[in-house]
Amino acid sequence: MKMPVADESQVLKEGEIEKRSDNFLQLWKKKTGVLTKDCLSLFTDSQKKSKSKDLKFQSIKKVDCVERTGKYVYFTVVTTENKEIDFRCLDESSSCWNAAITMALIDFQNRKAIQDFKSRQESEVATSQGKQERQLARSP
């Protein structure tokens, strides 16, 4: 499935990443990763025509356990349900998936915190205006 044009303009990083399978053998599977400001999409083919598996940042808690060994950087994405998803990528400066995902996740969490704060502020203002109106209605 090709990504819509609007999403392509927001691509932060794209390239090869390997994900460890959940099955008994736990084999490393090559994927094409597409990182946007809201999620990490994983495709089984480099043309991105296959259906993607999306890891939305709202369901990711953190990037953990970064380890460099030989030619790979290994890291774990921990979901809000405490599921651990293992990844690895080549240890090259242009291939720092763990850093790119971490920075995008922090940006997402900051945007969400600001949005929550503004929503709370608007709610408090509306509540206080309602109280003032009720008090004015009761005054003689």
Side-chain angles (χ1 to χ4, degrees), residues 13-129:
K13 183 168 181 61
E14 182 173 347
E16 187 177 289
I17 187 170
E18 293 183 42
K19 177 184 174 292
R20 188 169 14 208
S21 62
D22 293 333
N23 63 22
F24 176 71
L25 297 176
Q26 295 189 333
L27 300 172
W28 290 101
K29 304 281 185 171
K30 288 187 181 188
K31 305 285 184 182
T32 297
V34 178
L35 181 65
T36 65
K37 63 180 193 161
D38 295 314
C39 79
L40 171 63
S41 298
L42 300 169
F43 297 87
T44 55
D45 65 328
S46 60
Q47 286 80 35
K48 300 180 294 218
K49 292 183 178 170
S50 63
K51 186 168 174 22
S52 69
K53 175 179 167 88
D54 295 334
L55 293 171
K56 300 199 181 296
F57 286 144
Q58 63 196 23
S59 66
I60 295 177
K61 189 189 301 184
K62 63 182 174 176
V63 177
D64 205 5
C65 301
V66 177
E67 182 180 340
R68 290 178 179 353
T69 57
K71 65 179 188 174
Y72 289 106
V73 175
Y74 295 83
F75 61 96
T76 302
V77 170
V78 182
T79 68
T80 52
E81 297 170 347
N82 290 322
K83 180 181 176 190
E84 295 183 353
I85 306 167
D86 295 327
F87 291 95
R88 75 179 182 184
C89 58
L90 290 174
D91 188 7
E92 300 170 354
S93 59
S94 63
S95 183
C96 283
W97 275 100
N98 58 309
I101 295 168
T102 300
M103 295 305 291
L105 178 60
I106 290 169
D107 181 59
F108 173 83
Q109 291 169 337
N110 286 341
R111 283 186 284 118
K112 185 175 181 321
I114 290 168
Q115 186 179 23
D116 290 348
F117 176 76
K118 286 181 178 178
S119 295
R120 228 178 2 261
Q121 259 188 334
E122 290 170 2
S123 175
E124 288 172 3
V125 167
T127 302
S128 67
Q129 285 176 345

